Amino acid sequence: MLTVSVKWQKELLKAVEIDTSQPPYVFKCQLYDLTGVPPERQKIMVKGGLLKDDADWSTVGLKQGQKLMMMGTADEVVKAPEKGPVFMEDLPEEEQVVSLGHSAGLFNLGNTCYMNSTVQCLHSVPELKSSLVKYSHSGRNNDVDQTSHMLTIATRDLFGELDKSVKPVAPMQFWTLLRKKYPQFGQLHNGAFMQQDAEECWTQLLYTLSQPLRSAGSSENIDTVKDLFGIDLASRIHCQESGEETSETESVYSLKCHISQEVNRLHEGLKHALKSELEKASPALGRSAIYLKESRINGLPRYLTIQFVRFFWKRESNQKAKILRKVDYPLELDVYDLCSDELRKQLEGPRQILRDEEGKKLGLKANEKSSSSKDDDVKMIDGEGSSNASGESTVTTSQEGVPSDKETRLTGIYDLVAVLTHKGRSADSGHYVAWVKQESGKWIEFDDDNPIPQREEDIVKLSGGGDWHMAYICMYKARTVLM
């Protein structure tokens, strides 16, 4: 770690720390926070010319206490006119975010697109943000290690920055703590940080948040992350040779979509993944035998995450190869037929109510004068509506203003709200991007620090079949009813 001073215009920035284990682009992001000069406009004079984003610090020859010269103009700060109309640029930054309709992008700190896209997808879950806001520095209990506690704080703070800023955010603190908690994300190759697997980052981050956010801000024992993302599976394990049969249950954060020559659609891949063969010791036969494992969903979450299993280990090249096959996925996903008999029975009532309510909606459009419904016992919440994170009972208010106990019920029907894509031929290279549906219903492509509006019809075209961006993780939001 070196400390330098930086001369910029009439300012002298003293005691600026440089982490020489990170590329110069990270240093430029620090200067952006201090000066407002975007990294691409910064010209920093060093021995031998200008400092490049990917330069090797060991060849730059910096010394402790050295003074550097930086040239570049900061982003213009638009002053509000004393009179006349108020434009979006004149509003406070937090109000600009609201007017803009989407949150900020994230600077790539050196092959960190896997992390940026994961953060953008999870940042779109309001219930997760709400739970993080309730978590405080002093909220750590004995079951949570210090690194997990600090990574949770960093996630909370980063989500807050994204909501308040219209300019790209440099997630340096979050990235530092992510690497401290999971050193594999800090792997270097030729002095540069390596590309990592976004699904691994997604799973590890949820696993880390699950402990600190358990019962955060509540006296009840609520597992926020499990309620939001956890999927309960009930499995039957059968050996045809010996007739042995056992059962087991497990909780996971995502369903897998297996890809083969027979799989053309997401639903087919999910069915394939819920059936598998495994070899293990058979007590009855006294040797190893083949068992068939058949799983069914026995508990659904608020947000259903699906991973397309596109990467596999290729022994010939000794690396993760990618399956480019096109697999179509829908904007609306119904997983009723993947559920256990017990869960199906629980879903039947809410599904009928949902169908009735959607039928009424269609009817009301034709005759708006009869828009008032006499049936106040049921309220529908679609994929974009608010929902209670626990999935248990929630309190609603009737038209007369009198609180009434209602229970939020899942229907097994989900709406697509985020897609994380990968472009390239290998998991250890290429580029990750997040495509996230906003509260307004508009879709935004978050390509690191560059948010780009997209059309909904183009989102389902990210299904693969070539070298373009293809879906690697899809996140669906539950369509629920209040009963």
Side-chain angles (χ1 to χ4, degrees):
M1 188 78 76
L2 290 175
T3 303
V4 299
S5 59
V6 180
K7 181 76 167 64
W8 173 64
Q9 296 181 355
K10 295 180 180 180
E11 290 187 49
L12 180 63
L13 307 173
K14 297 181 180 179
V16 180
E17 291 186 339
I18 298 178
D19 185 350
T20 53
S21 69
Q22 300 182 11
Y25 186 78
V26 175
F27 173 55
K28 290 185 177 183
C29 288
Q30 287 176 260
L31 294 179
Y32 170 66
D33 287 339
L34 295 171
T35 64
V37 181
E40 63 271 14
R41 289 192 210 158
Q42 295 177 21
K43 294 182 179 178
I44 302 170
M45 308 301 294
V46 294
K47 184 180 178 181
L50 296 176
L51 179 63
K52 295 182 178 179
D53 291 350
D54 57 352
D56 185 349
W57 284 115
S58 62
T59 62
V60 174
L62 280 185
K63 296 179 181 178
Q64 177 70 20
Q66 185 173 334
K67 182 191 284 188
L68 299 176
M69 178 76 71
M70 183 181 85
M71 294 181 288
T73 55
D75 285 334
E76 183 182 356
V77 179
V78 181
K79 295 182 179 179
E82 294 179 8
K83 296 179 182 180
V86 178
F87 297 97
M88 189 176 80
E89 292 84 356
D90 305 322
L91 296 170
E93 195 164 8
E94 289 186 35
E95 292 184 34
Q96 287 187 41
V97 174
V98 175
S99 301
L100 203 59
H102 63 79
S103 54
L106 289 164
F107 279 118
N108 191 317
L109 305 179
N111 283 331
T112 58
C113 58
Y114 70 93
M115 178 188 77
N116 289 349
S117 53
T118 296
V119 167
Q120 292 288 10
C121 289
L122 294 177
H123 171 255
S124 71
V125 178
E127 297 93 337
L128 181 60
K129 285 197 284 187
S130 176
S131 186
L132 282 165
V133 167
K134 296 174 186 174
Y135 189 73
S136 65
H137 279 280
S138 59
R140 182 168 79 97
N141 59 48
N142 295 331
D143 296 331
V144 180
D145 64 271
Q146 181 66 14
T147 312
S148 296
H149 169 67
M150 293 309 297
L151 182 55
T152 303
I153 294 292
T155 306
R156 181 200 68 189
D157 293 346
L158 180 56
F159 280 11
E161 282 187 79
L162 288 173
D163 284 331
K164 293 175 184 175
S165 177
V166 291
K167 298 175 184 175
V169 174
M172 288 165 50
Q173 180 70 4
F174 177 85
W175 187 40
T176 301
L177 288 163
L178 181 69
R179 285 180 291 139
K180 187 174 181 180
K181 176 67 179 176
Y182 300 105
Q184 66 267 35
F185 295 126
Q187 289 176 316
L188 295 170
H189 180 67
N190 294 331
F193 286 102
M194 294 173 63
Q195 178 69 283
Q196 300 292 336
D197 191 330
E199 189 276 332
E200 186 178 355
C201 180
W202 182 301
T203 303
Q204 299 284 36
L205 182 56
L206 285 184
Y207 177 77
T208 300
L209 295 176
S210 64
Q211 281 298 108
L213 295 185
R214 191 187 294 269
S215 305
S218 171
S219 58
E220 300 174 23
N221 186 25
I222 298 173
D223 190 340
T224 302
V225 173
K226 185 181 185 303
D227 286 340
L228 289 175
F229 303 100
I231 306 158
D232 292 330
L233 295 176
S235 303
R236 170 180 172 266
I237 304 167
H238 175 70
C239 178
Q240 204 165 18
E241 190 178 356
S242 67
E244 295 167 279
E245 184 172 312
T246 57
S247 60
E248 66 178 30
T249 58
E250 60 182 318
S251 185
V252 296
Y253 286 139
S254 67
L255 291 179
K256 308 298 182 187
C257 173
H258 283 183
I259 302 174
S260 65
Q261 293 297 323
E262 298 81 39
V263 174
N264 297 303
R265 294 177 180 81
L266 171 60
H267 213 276
E268 297 165 353
L270 292 174
K271 282 186 174 180
H272 273 262
L274 291 173
K275 287 185 179 181
S276 61
E277 283 189 350
L278 52 108
E279 184 176 348
K280 64 174 187 173
S282 166
L285 300 173
R287 55 175 172 79
S288 292
I290 301 297
Y291 287 76
L292 178 65
K293 182 178 179 180
E294 295 181 282
S295 302
R296 286 285 176 267
I297 301 171
N298 207 38
L300 287 168
R302 292 291 166 151
Y303 292 85
L304 182 64
T305 304
I306 295 168
Q307 180 206 354
F308 292 80
V309 186
R310 290 198 172 275
F311 299 112
F312 67 98
W313 188 256
K314 201 170 184 178
R315 291 180 181 176
E316 307 90 81
S317 56
N318 202 33
Q319 66 175 9
K320 279 185 182 177
K322 185 176 180 182
I323 302 171
L324 302 177
R325 183 177 178 82
K326 181 180 179 182
V327 179
D328 292 321
Y329 55 91
L331 291 171
E332 178 187 302
L333 178 66
D334 189 348
V335 296
Y336 179 79
D337 66 322
L338 304 179
C339 297
S340 64
D341 292 340
E342 180 185 351
L343 182 55
R344 286 187 194 184
K345 288 178 183 177
Q346 295 174 24
L347 296 174
E348 283 173 4
R351 287 169 70 84
Q352 184 58 52
I353 290 167
L354 183 62
R355 283 192 290 269
D356 293 344
E357 287 298 313
E358 289 180 338
K360 286 180 184 178
K361 270 189 172 183
L362 293 172
L364 292 174
K365 287 180 182 177
N367 184 12
E368 291 185 2
K369 289 184 179 180
S370 61
S371 60
S372 61
S373 173
K374 295 180 181 178
D375 183 6
D376 290 329
D377 292 335
V378 177
K379 180 180 178 182
M380 182 180 69
I381 308 175
D382 64 14
E384 300 311 306
S386 61
S387 58
N388 181 278
S390 69
E392 300 297 328
S393 61
T394 181
V395 176
T396 60
T397 305
S398 65
Q399 290 181 345
E400 292 78 18
V402 180
S404 58
D405 288 334
K406 303 280 188 179
E407 189 176 345
T408 306
R409 300 288 296 274
L410 299 173
T411 61
I413 298 172
Y414 288 80
D415 294 293
L416 187 67
V417 291
V419 181
L420 189 154
T421 61
H422 179 266
K423 181 182 179 182
R425 296 266 172 162
S426 169
D428 301 324
S429 62
H431 186 54
Y432 290 100
V433 170
W435 314 67
V436 181
K437 192 173 187 178
Q438 309 301 297
E439 290 183 8
S440 63
K442 295 179 181 178
W443 283 86
I444 299 294
E445 172 193 353
F446 288 98
D447 187 353
D448 287 329
D449 58 331
N450 187 24
I452 309 163
Q454 295 290 348
R455 299 179 304 170
E456 187 169 70
E457 55 264 36
D458 292 330
I459 302 302
V460 290
K461 294 177 182 177
L462 304 167
S463 51
D467 286 329
W468 179 238
H469 293 284
M470 62 184 70
Y472 183 39
I473 298 174
C474 282
M475 186 169 73
Y476 287 84
K477 183 174 182 178
R479 200 178 291 183
T480 60
V481 294
L482 286 177
M483 296 175 65

